[in-house]
Amino acid sequence: MELALVIGVIAIALVFDYTNGFHDAANAIATSVSTRALTPRAALFMAAAMNFVGAHISTEVARTVGTGIIDPPTGSHGLVIVGAGLIGAITWNLITWYFGLPSSSSHGLIGGLVGSALAASSTIHWSGVLEKVVIPMVLSPIVGFLLGAIIMIAILWIFRRANPHRAGKNFRYAQTVSAAAMALGHGLQDAQKTMGVIFLALYTGGYVAAKDPIPQWVILAAAAAISLGTYSGGWRIMRTLGRRIIHLTPAQGFAAETAASIVLYTMAIAAKAPISTTHTITSAIMGVGATKRLSAVRWGVAGNIVTAWVLTIPAAALVAAVSYFFLHWVIE
């Protein structure tokens, strides 16, 4: 039974990873596609490839998710807790994807794990949740907004005498690089979260020790799943990020992607924190748009997005708690 549960939880984790890919595909390529720097299919292929590469750079975020958020009991009971947490995250991903809202798959996962652990009266590392989730969740959009604005102001000053047509063409080329950097950062962040959950399932089932390295097959499986999901595309959310918040120019798209990439790399490698790529790129787009004029940003759309951000953790936690009670009744 425990082996079957481990396999089942791993399968659910990879399904979550796939939904994370198509839900967050827009994060990496929406700005490039909306400015016509890349065609949609070429952008998706590039994003999928860079996601796969990014997943192999580091495992620090995976370690945080796998051992720093909850501590479920070993055996079938702990596996039910992890599985219920994943169901909560997947459900919220699908709801926000349907409505075209760029919410955070990362925080959906954290909310799901915490919600199922609460329902099961299992151990939650609240200090880890505060330091590695809540504080970065608040700081990363603020930094993304400010950094996006600063980079855009620098571009406007440096290229103030440039020919607009030629500058726009060059920034379209530059966006190929910045979009690739953004996709690499997405793989570095989001693929690792699934690695962490799979490692948590293996640990709960007694197949690895807490200090063991992440197995290579786990890294490959998580990287492949998120890459396939990314290539399948998330067109609903892409329209929201690429056009509904602000109509982006190539220079603005380059500035937003560059700002978001810097935040993602810093948080993943230096802080080891599982931040939201969605929050980061969305806030960077808002910051870039605000340099033109505050009214250039469609703040009503931005308000709907922020509302989804606030609801993500509690909503995923609620679904996970209900899922836990159902699975507990059926399996245990």
Side-chain angles (χ1 to χ4, degrees):
M1 173 62 84
E2 284 189 14
L3 177 60
L5 281 173
V6 169
I7 295 171
V9 170
I10 291 172
I12 296 171
L14 293 176
V15 170
F16 165 77
D17 205 21
Y18 181 85
T19 66
N20 189 342
F22 77 70
H23 187 279
D24 290 3
N27 295 345
I29 65 172
T31 55
S32 299
V33 172
S34 68
T35 60
R36 298 179 183 176
L38 294 168
T39 63
R41 193 52 60 185
L44 284 172
F45 181 80
M46 178 275 295
M50 297 307 289
N51 264 302
F52 189 85
V53 174
H56 289 78
I57 293 176
S58 169
T59 58
E60 297 298 338
V61 172
R63 183 69 60 185
T64 296
V65 173
T67 60
I69 305 300
I70 67 171
D71 189 13
T74 56
S76 60
H77 184 60
L79 291 166
V80 166
I81 294 171
V82 178
L86 286 165
I87 291 172
I90 292 170
T91 302
W92 186 247
N93 262 1
L94 294 176
I95 290 171
T96 51
W97 166 81
Y98 180 80
F99 288 104
L101 293 173
S103 70
S104 170
S105 298
S106 309
H107 295 146
L109 177 60
I110 300 300
L113 291 174
V114 170
S116 60
L118 277 174
S121 300
S122 187
T123 302
I124 301 172
H125 300 296
W126 290 111
S127 60
V129 172
L130 177 64
E131 294 172 8
K132 297 295 185 180
V133 179
V134 176
I135 293 176
M137 179 177 70
V138 174
L139 287 180
S140 58
I142 295 173
V143 174
F145 184 95
L146 294 175
L147 193 56
I150 290 168
I151 292 174
M152 191 63 222
I153 291 170
I155 288 173
L156 289 172
W157 187 82
I158 293 169
F159 294 95
R160 64 190 183 278
R161 294 189 178 89
N163 179 280
H165 177 73
R166 185 178 301 168
K169 185 178 180 180
N170 289 335
F171 273 112
R172 281 194 176 91
Y173 293 135
Q175 267 199 280
T176 304
V177 178
S178 62
M182 182 69 202
L184 189 74
H186 182 252
L188 178 63
Q189 274 282 343
D190 284 41
Q192 284 197 60
K193 292 153 194 170
T194 300
M195 296 177 207
V197 174
I198 294 176
F199 184 84
L200 180 60
L202 292 172
Y203 171 70
T204 304
Y207 291 93
V208 295
K211 294 185 178 180
D212 285 350
I214 306 290
Q216 186 61 37
W217 69 266
V218 173
I219 297 173
L220 286 171
I226 200 169
S227 297
L228 289 172
T230 299
Y231 190 68
S232 68
W235 305 110
R236 292 173 184 265
I237 296 173
M238 201 176 299
R239 283 191 291 271
T240 300
L241 281 179
R243 295 190 180 276
R244 290 181 62 201
I245 297 175
I246 181 176
H247 187 75
L248 291 166
T249 65
Q252 289 172 327
F254 173 80
E257 289 168 343
T258 302
S261 299
I262 292 171
V263 176
L264 290 177
Y265 297 148
T266 302
M267 287 294 187
I269 297 172
K272 305 175 185 178
I275 67 166
S276 168
T277 54
T278 307
H279 292 193
T280 307
I281 186 61
T282 305
S283 59
I285 291 172
M286 292 178 189
V288 165
T291 62
K292 185 176 182 181
R293 62 181 187 278
L294 289 177
S295 60
V297 179
R298 296 184 178 95
W299 295 107
V301 175
N304 292 337
I305 293 170
V306 172
T307 300
W309 292 358
V310 173
L311 290 176
T312 292
I313 289 180
L318 179 61
V319 175
V322 173
S323 301
Y324 164 76
F325 288 121
F326 176 76
L327 291 176
H328 179 62
W329 176 67
V330 171
I331 296 174
E332 297 183 88

